[in-house]
Amino acid sequence: ESSKDGMTRVYKSLVTNVCKEMSCYSDFPFQEDYPNFMNHEKFWGYLQEFAEHFDLLKYIQFKTTVCSITKRPDFFTTGQWDVVTETEGKQNRAVFDAVM
């Protein structure tokens, strides 16, 4: 109903409009008992299960803003990107092989 931190929220009655077969990761299908069109809590649970299954949580930075993504000067040789993020008012710069 209201957001104190300025972040967008999902309304409680939200249901996906894409079937589960089209919205799952190919190497991590939804469980059979999941509904074809699910509410946001079920979908959020799926994303958490995915991240835990593939041990991805250690790579995720919550409450972080991406300030910029730019090709490195040697991009055409390395394919690398400069990424600037901000967490709690502090900016960080990192180099990544890929971004999505």
Side-chain angles (χ1 to χ4, degrees):
E1 294 176 13
S2 65
S3 173
K4 295 177 183 165
D5 59 6
M7 301 297 290
T8 303
R9 300 290 186 252
V10 174
Y11 54 94
K12 292 178 183 177
S13 62
L14 179 77
V15 175
T16 60
N17 62 355
V18 178
C19 68
K20 67 181 181 181
E21 293 81 10
M22 296 299 292
S23 47
C24 70
Y25 292 104
S26 61
D27 56 351
F28 195 76
F30 284 105
Q31 297 175 21
E32 287 292 324
D33 64 338
Y34 274 42
N36 199 25
F37 298 93
M38 62 200 77
N39 65 31
H40 73 281
E41 288 177 349
K42 186 69 89 170
F43 193 80
W44 174 243
Y46 168 78
L47 293 175
Q48 289 176 311
E49 291 169 12
F50 178 86
E52 290 168 7
H53 178 81
F54 291 101
D55 199 26
L56 299 175
L57 292 174
K58 61 187 173 191
Y59 301 110
I60 299 172
Q61 298 176 33
F62 294 100
K63 297 184 180 181
T64 299
T65 300
V66 176
C67 302
S68 67
I69 302 172
T70 55
K71 293 178 181 176
R72 293 185 50 81
D74 59 354
F75 177 81
F76 292 104
T77 305
T78 66
Q80 292 182 323
W81 300 84
D82 280 320
V83 179
V84 178
T85 59
E86 185 174 321
T87 306
E88 296 179 356
K90 181 182 176 192
Q91 284 199 346
N92 297 297
R93 180 177 304 272
V95 176
F96 289 92
D97 293 330
V99 295
M100 60 181 243

